[in-house]
Amino acid sequence: DIKSPEERSRNMAAIRSKDTKPEIYFRKLLFAQGYRYSLNSKKIPGHPDIYLRKYNTAIFIHGCFWHRHSGCKYAYMPKSRVEFWQKKFEANVKRDYIVRMELQDKGIKCLIVWECTVRRMKRNQEDCISCLKTVEKFLKTDNLFLEL
């Protein structure tokens, strides 16, 4: 590792779990489209980033690195402490799966929006419009799960 343990610790401590930039961007888009939601609802399994009660839908804005978006360039493996990171990532993926199953058992729809998708949406207006249309269609269907 090129950083000292103290520097690395400071970096890791600065990583937010709520109100991340991709999350805020996506929330603003939904709000502008007329959707109203609650944030980090403790009553819903997994405490989703966004919960649309009217549509009984939990939305998670997943960081590609932390939640291991397969095939994504942002889901790289750190070069140091590989064993530690493998355990950490496996636990995250397992927890995500368990939360998804809990939501499914309760009949709550689950939408996962990946960080790389939000980045694309920020860069390209057409991608943004396309994603919002996909979300709108998903909310009106009986499907319980969608990943963007």
Side-chain angles (χ1 to χ4, degrees), residues 30 33-37 51-59 107-110 135-144:
L30 287 178
Q33 295 294 315
Y35 293 103
R36 299 303 177 254
Y37 46 78
Y51 179 66
L52 301 166
R53 191 173 80 207
K54 180 178 179 180
Y55 300 95
N56 195 29
T57 302
I59 302 175
I108 299 172
K109 297 167 77 157
C110 179
V135 169
E136 207 168 299
K137 284 181 192 171
F138 172 68
L139 294 174
K140 293 176 181 174
T141 66
D142 292 334
N143 297 342
L144 286 176

Side-chain angles (χ1 to χ4, degrees), residues 38-135:
S38 57
L39 303 176
N40 308 105
S41 178
K42 303 256 186 281
K43 296 176 183 175
I44 309 300
H47 311 296
D49 300 314
I50 301 166
Y51 179 66
L52 301 166
R53 191 173 80 207
K54 180 178 179 180
Y55 300 95
N56 195 29
T57 302
I59 302 175
F60 296 91
I61 313 297
H62 278 346
C64 298
F65 176 78
W66 295 105
H67 296 272
R68 309 317 291 162
H69 187 198
S70 64
C72 179
K73 69 179 181 181
Y74 302 114
Y76 61 90
M77 178 61 76
K79 304 249 186 300
S80 63
R81 302 182 66 206
V82 174
E83 199 173 300
F84 164 81
W85 286 109
Q86 282 177 330
K87 280 184 187 174
K88 173 89 176 142
F89 294 146
E90 286 170 11
N92 287 353
V93 169
K94 184 177 180 182
R95 186 179 60 247
D96 291 343
Y97 178 78
I98 290 168
V99 165
R100 225 173 76 208
M101 292 302 107
E102 286 179 33
L103 291 169
Q104 188 175 326
D105 290 346
K106 292 181 181 281
I108 299 172
K109 297 167 77 157
C110 179
L111 171 63
I112 293 176
V113 182
W114 290 101
E115 169 192 9
C116 60
T117 301
V118 175
R119 287 179 186 220
R120 252 192 336 273
M121 290 170 73
K122 284 181 171 182
R123 280 194 311 266
N124 185 332
Q125 186 67 28
E126 290 174 15
D127 282 345
C128 184
I129 292 166
S130 172
C131 284
L132 287 173
K133 284 182 180 178
T134 302
V135 169

